[in-house]
Amino acid sequence: MPLDLSVQLAPKNKKGLRLANPVMTASGTFGYGMEYSQALDIQKLGAIICKGTTLEPREGNPQPRLVETAGGVINSIGLQNIGVKALIKEKAPVWAKWRVPVIVNIAGDTITEYAELAKKLDGVKGVSGLEVNISCPNVKAGGALFGANPDTAAAVTKAVRAATSLPVIVKLTPNTGDIAGVARAVAGAGADAVSLINSVKAMAIDISRRRPVFSNVTAGLSGPAVKPIAMALVYEVAGVVDIPVIGLGGIATAADALEFIMAGASAVQVGSATYRNPRAALDILEGIEWFMAKDGINKLAGIIGAARPAGKA
Ligand SMILES: Cc1cc2nc3c(=O)[nH]c(=O)nc-3n(C[C@H](O)[C@H](O)[C@H](O)COP(=O)(O)O)c2cc1C
């Protein structure tokens, strides 16, 4: 029997977000997709999530922006991107010809900015969904992350939901004491799915200069070092929401991806691993297929949440 790896990530949305398989690339680690088309057949991926996109183009933070650490990288890119206007003009027409769905990751400094981005992208050919990065500091609330608090997270989700009919994935930050509360709040505010985790707050110090390495002092840790943290949070969130959960954080092998799926994730994203191996996402997909064939599992649904207590999928 042929394997069925397909997954529906927006079952409550009219348009839906059906992926041929559960392996996506994570925002900020795969450009706009085209950059990698020489390294791998990108059309085989489940979905591509593009760079974080803002209303206006951004130059990002001063160097250094990326520092290796044990088991991962710390990044302080600062949302360098071409802005939504250029994205719609230059990138979306290319995506519209692709088989692989492209999801646009959006970020704003205010709720109005998020809503405006969602409105501009609504109905754009080549855009299959939005991923809302709520790990940005909420300027009006004094710099706390939108995603750190259930109320601000819900307010962003509600505004985006009202501005678009596209499937909406809300990307959760681990930098909160109440990720379950935030997940429940965004699900209640109309998110079609949640993805987690974004990078973990971290820092490094340059001992020769006796100064923090990054201009913003703290930055975001990703890579294998964060995987066990991400796993615990995905397991927790999958237990409190009834919308699809997308797991990410340190996935470098098919076994890593399968762990997230068994924890309750319907799909996974591959981020920093692409820096080491540009083919990482496809290698992971092939490994999942191999595992399913070996264990006689025909449908991905057969293993989603397999590690959860019975009856609590
Ligand atoms: C260089 C770099 C840039 C990133 N840019 C974004 C971004 O623009 N928007 C976003 O939501 N996440 C961004 N992320 C976070 C990743 O999408 C992902 O959530 C995080 O790296 C954890 O996954 P990983 O351990 O597989 O890399 C970025 C990560 C890295 C390493």
Side-chain angles (χ1 to χ4, degrees):
M1 240 188 31
L3 291 180
D4 177 6
L5 275 87
S6 68
V7 57
Q8 174 54 259
L9 291 182
K12 295 179 184 167
N13 185 282
K14 252 193 199 161
K15 290 192 165 82
L17 183 58
R18 190 184 169 280
L19 271 49
N21 68 70
V23 182
M24 321 162 81
T25 55
S27 178
T29 63
F30 209 73
Y32 296 95
M34 339 21 207
E35 298 87 335
Y36 285 83
S37 54
Q38 303 289 325
L40 69 161
D41 183 356
I42 55 173
Q43 305 303 333
K44 287 190 178 162
L45 295 167
I48 289 170
I49 308 209
C50 81
K51 253 178 198 281
T53 300
T54 49
L55 275 178
E56 299 301 329
R58 288 198 191 177
E59 288 192 357
N61 294 333
Q63 297 286 353
R65 294 175 167 192
L66 211 54
V67 167
E68 270 201 64
T69 185
V73 289
I74 314 179
N75 93 82
S76 174
I77 304 292
L79 287 174
Q80 178 191 16
N81 77 102
I82 59 174
V84 71
K85 202 169 148 196
L87 179 142
I88 291 171
K89 193 159 168 258
E90 296 160 21
K91 309 295 179 188
V94 181
W95 297 337
K97 297 188 191 125
W98 290 0
R99 186 204 65 88
V100 58
V102 178
I103 295 162
V104 177
N105 179 288
I106 58 169
D109 289 332
T110 62
I111 292 174
T112 318
E113 280 186 23
Y114 280 100
E116 231 175 290
L117 279 159
K119 201 167 162 195
K120 284 192 195 305
L121 290 161
D122 189 46
V124 173
K125 280 206 176 70
V127 177
S128 296
L130 301 181
E131 182 179 61
V132 186
N133 175 6
I134 53 171
S135 303
C136 309
N138 174 355
V139 179
K140 289 204 171 139
L145 301 183
F146 278 110
N149 172 294
D151 295 336
T152 47
V156 174
T157 308
K158 204 171 153 203
V160 169
R161 176 74 289 157
T164 183
S165 57
L166 282 168
V168 172
I169 302 165
V170 177
K171 184 168 179 180
L172 308 182
T173 173
N175 304 316
T176 168
D178 185 17
I179 200 162
V182 172
R184 266 195 225 101
V186 304
D192 292 297
V194 287
S195 55
L196 64 150
I197 59 173
N198 211 317
S199 52
V200 178
K201 184 174 170 180
M203 80 177 280
I205 287 176
D206 177 345
I207 57 169
S208 60
R209 288 173 48 244
R210 303 182 186 194
R211 288 284 174 277
V213 166
F214 297 107
S215 57
N216 283 349
V217 182
T218 60
L221 175 66
S222 60
V226 308
K227 194 191 92 177
I229 300 170
M231 193 71 58
L233 296 175
V234 165
Y235 189 89
E236 183 180 354
V237 166
V240 300
V241 294
D242 62 358
I243 54 175
V245 173
I246 301 162
L248 76 152
I251 296 179
T253 65
D256 295 337
L258 286 160
E259 275 192 62
F260 277 94
I261 291 168
M262 291 181 187
S266 299
V268 293
Q269 294 180 15
V270 179
S272 315
T274 296
Y275 291 126
R276 269 181 199 279
N277 168 17
R279 267 189 55 89
L282 271 195
D283 289 349
I284 287 166
L285 172 60
E286 285 165 15
I288 294 173
E289 288 171 345
W290 177 85
F291 178 86
M292 287 174 62
K294 172 183 76 72
D295 276 16
I297 303 153
N298 298 323
K299 279 180 183 285
L300 185 75
I303 47 171
I304 296 173
R308 308 188 64 83
K312 282 196 183 172

